[in-house]
Amino acid sequence: MVELQNFYSSCFTVDNIIFGFENGDIKVLLIKRGEEPYMSQWALPGYFVNENESLRGAARRVLKQLTSIENVFLEQIGAFGEIDRHPSGRVVTVAYYSLIKIADYQVTASSIARKASWFKLDEIENLAFDHRKILDKALNQLRWSVRINPVGFELLPPKFTLTDIQKLYETILDIKLDKRNFRKKILSTGLLESLGESQIGVAHRPALLYRFNEEAYNELSDKDFLLAI
Amino acid sequence: MVELQNFYSSCFTVDNIIFGFENGDIKVLLIKRGEEPYMSQWALPGYFVNENESLRGAARRVLKQLTSIENVFLEQIGAFGEIDRHPSGRVVTVAYYSLIKIADYQVTASSIARKASWFKLDEIENLAFDHRKILDKALNQLRWSVRINPVGFELLPPKFTLTDIQKLYETILDIKLDKRNFRKKILSTGLLESLGESQIGVAHRPALLYRFNEEAYNELSDKDFLLAI
DNA sequence: ACAAAAGTGTTCAAAATACACCCATGC
DNA sequence: GCATGGGTGTATTTTGAACACTTTTGT
């Protein structure tokens, strides 16, 4: 039998791409690194994988440490393993992306970060390591994912308007959609449920509020669903 | 700075899912393991990643050692890192799938395998490690991929008939397609080029032969293409 | 002559698109 | 009363789906 120890010359990390949506913009949660290498640079939140946890488990742990978030949408992007991606040795990272409702959580700095904050996509540059490449892949996957699964709802607050969700799709896919056609299509999926309530305190006709109907989604998700937008 | 060595208690491998297409069936190349653990069981071809090679590089190397195949379509499936997936220690694997033209290559056993051969999907059971799970994910990704990119062409010989490619799609997606509608659709992509030649020696009207037009593909692949089949 | 797969168009239904005005509220 | 975004229907175009017979070859 091969001695595994002979191959113990490398290690793993996980990195999280945490997407949020606020004021019509996609945002990404970044940390300011508190340790070398890339000290004080902005980076994706991530850390080493412990021996006694799975990759996904590690991603959840890092996410929880940073945001206290649990039970959230989390999907793997893939592994990144260029030889020289980490200046101090061979480190392979596995990236996960998650979608969260910004308003629900208070982001806290932690042992792994000096500071954490949300960035709009166009404010981001010069990330540590190969994190820019990882972020780009995550964005691309999000754009596909949003058509195949109604993952977009994960980014919205529990009660939202049809305009909110239209803006979300427009932002993620970077396209402009026709209001009437979009409403027809999104309502025809049966995934939205009107709450019978309206917005209050807005300086225009108040919009009806909807919520995501999870039961309808569970029935649908087996058949391969494709939201043609 | 964190001492990376403290985290050197695990190692990683690559595993390849090598798809081929023959006689109207999708086939997968498996090896009979020549070493412990899972000695003599069928498994996906894979091996440890060396310190001085990237993940993709390792996948290419393993593929070449086993089949002498080079310069082939190769795409990452993802990382698999359950704690106990390897009985002797912590081993995370990164899986890649490749598509090859079976007729082009002679599969040879090698140091890492006692035997290698092609299996139809319904002949496969009881793979080593979590390889069944990895294979299922690869299949699922192939089914999506084939709609988004015209990757199916990678599985066909350089000259093929329209019926060949229809059979390919029918097999991968496990559906039945209408001949006339399929031809209209596949020709309208502009990705096929008639060679003006016909089959010879077949006991029926000989079919026209086509080839894949790579230039047309390169122009198309920027815009996001979706073959709605 | 017969078996076997190739090749070919039209009709109908469904889905996507384009498009403009009135409504309810806060200030 | 005016500015702001909410809400609604129809006509047209495009796309997808269903469907059957003739052609060419080998035996």
Side-chain angles (χ1 to χ4, degrees):
Chain A
M1 171 150 29
V2 168
E3 277 301 317
L4 288 182
Q5 280 72 22
N6 297 340
F7 294 92
Y8 282 4
S9 55
S10 53
C11 55
F12 298 99
T13 56
V14 286
D15 285 304
N16 281 322
I17 299 92
I18 305 169
F19 287 115
F21 184 71
E22 197 175 45
N23 303 328
D25 289 303
I26 308 177
K27 296 191 177 175
V28 179
L29 188 59
L30 298 177
I31 60 160
K32 191 162 208 168
R33 284 179 62 82
E35 52 184 48
E36 292 292 351
Y38 294 102
M39 171 84 122
S40 296
Q41 284 206 37
W42 292 99
L44 297 172
Y47 209 64
F48 294 97
V49 178
N50 294 326
E51 276 178 79
N52 60 347
E53 64 187 353
S54 65
L55 297 172
R56 177 175 293 267
R60 288 202 182 281
R61 173 176 53 82
V62 170
L63 185 62
K64 188 181 169 189
Q65 282 174 350
L66 192 73
T67 61
S68 312
I69 298 172
E70 295 179 83
N71 301 322
V72 84
F73 180 91
L74 189 74
E75 199 170 273
Q76 193 186 113
I77 305 290
F80 295 79
E82 292 305 315
I83 300 164
D84 55 356
R85 61 174 296 281
H86 194 296
S88 339
R90 187 69 195 277
V91 181
V92 173
T93 198
V94 179
Y96 284 83
Y97 80 96
S98 46
L99 305 177
I100 75 163
K101 309 179 209 317
I102 291 184
D104 288 6
Y105 303 97
Q106 187 66 33
V107 171
T108 53
S110 71
S111 58
I112 64 172
R114 279 229 293 248
K115 208 164 105 183
S117 60
W118 292 99
F119 287 82
K120 293 203 281 183
L121 289 177
D122 57 14
E123 296 167 348
I124 297 172
E125 49 190 25
N126 277 336
L127 294 180
F129 304 105
D130 53 357
H131 287 183
R132 178 76 230 183
K133 200 173 109 192
I134 297 175
L135 174 58
D136 287 339
K137 181 140 191 243
L139 266 171
N140 196 42
Q141 188 158 330
L142 175 62
R143 293 203 170 106
W144 275 109
S145 200
V146 92
R147 295 167 168 228
I148 290 168
N149 295 309
V151 290
F153 298 98
E154 308 280 347
L155 291 161
L156 294 172
K159 301 176 179 189
F160 50 84
T161 69
L162 293 178
T163 301
D164 288 340
I165 190 167
Q166 182 179 342
K167 287 256 172 62
L168 175 68
Y169 274 91
E170 288 181 335
T171 306
I172 292 178
L173 298 174
D174 198 21
I175 50 176
K176 195 93 194 79
L177 296 166
D178 178 87
K179 185 162 59 161
R180 283 182 281 195
N181 295 337
F182 178 80
R183 284 166 184 235
K184 246 180 289 176
K185 212 176 289 180
I186 203 80
L187 289 173
S188 75
T189 63
L191 293 171
L192 293 186
E193 199 172 353
S194 170
L195 288 161
E197 307 169 43
S198 300
Q199 290 177 305
I200 46 174
V202 289
H204 54 78
R205 174 171 172 179
L208 282 168
L209 294 168
Y210 289 80
R211 72 177 184 90
F212 178 52
N213 182 337
E214 234 166 314
E215 299 135 54
Y217 171 65
N218 290 334
E219 281 175 39
L220 224 84
S221 61
D222 296 329
K223 312 150 196 154
D224 67 351
F225 162 79
L226 201 145
L227 189 61
I229 281 197
Chain B
M1 168 151 29
V2 168
E3 277 301 318
L4 288 183
Q5 281 71 22
N6 298 340
F7 294 92
Y8 282 4
S9 55
S10 54
C11 54
F12 47 96
T13 57
V14 287
D15 285 303
N16 282 314
I17 298 92
I18 306 169
F19 288 115
F21 185 70
E22 199 176 44
N23 303 329
D25 290 302
I26 308 175
K27 296 190 177 177
V28 179
L29 188 60
L30 298 178
I31 60 162
K32 191 161 208 167
R33 284 179 63 82
E35 53 185 46
E36 293 290 349
Y38 295 103
M39 170 84 121
S40 297
Q41 283 206 38
W42 292 99
L44 297 171
Y47 209 63
F48 295 97
V49 178
N50 295 327
E51 275 178 80
N52 60 346
E53 65 187 352
S54 66
L55 297 172
R56 178 176 292 268
R60 288 201 182 283
R61 173 178 54 80
V62 170
L63 186 61
K64 188 180 168 189
Q65 283 176 347
L66 192 74
T67 62
S68 313
I69 299 172
E70 293 181 84
N71 301 321
V72 84
F73 179 91
L74 191 73
E75 199 170 275
Q76 193 185 114
I77 306 290
F80 296 79
E82 293 304 318
I83 301 163
D84 55 358
R85 63 174 294 283
H86 194 296
S88 342
R90 186 70 195 274
V91 181
V92 172
T93 197
V94 179
Y96 284 83
Y97 81 96
S98 45
L99 303 177
I100 76 161
K101 309 181 211 315
I102 290 184
D104 288 5
Y105 301 98
Q106 187 65 34
V107 170
T108 53
S110 73
S111 58
I112 63 173
R114 279 230 293 248
K115 207 164 107 183
S117 60
W118 292 99
F119 287 82
K120 291 203 281 183
L121 289 176
D122 56 16
E123 295 166 348
I124 298 171
E125 48 190 26
N126 277 335
L127 294 180
F129 303 105
D130 53 357
H131 287 182
R132 178 76 228 186
K133 198 172 111 191
I134 296 175
L135 173 59
D136 287 339
K137 182 140 188 243
L139 266 171
N140 196 41
Q141 189 157 330
L142 175 61
R143 295 206 168 104
W144 274 108
S145 200
V146 94
R147 294 165 170 230
I148 290 167
N149 295 310
V151 290
F153 298 99
E154 307 280 346
L155 291 162
L156 293 173
K159 303 178 178 187
F160 50 84
T161 68
L162 294 178
T163 301
D164 288 341
I165 191 170
Q166 182 179 340
K167 287 256 173 62
L168 176 66
Y169 274 90
E170 287 182 336
T171 305
I172 292 176
L173 299 174
D174 198 20
I175 50 175
K176 195 90 196 83
L177 296 165
D178 178 87
K179 184 162 62 162
R180 284 181 282 196
N181 293 338
F182 179 80
R183 283 166 185 236
K184 249 179 285 176
K185 212 176 286 180
I186 203 80
L187 289 173
S188 75
T189 63
L191 293 171
L192 292 187
E193 197 172 352
S194 170
L195 288 162
E197 307 169 42
S198 301
Q199 291 178 305
I200 45 171
V202 289
H204 55 78
R205 175 170 174 180
L208 283 169
L209 294 168
Y210 289 80
R211 73 177 183 88
F212 178 52
N213 183 336
E214 234 166 315
E215 299 133 54
Y217 171 65
N218 290 333
E219 281 175 38
L220 224 86
S221 60
D222 296 331
K223 313 151 196 153
D224 67 352
F225 163 79
L226 202 145
L227 188 62
I229 284 199

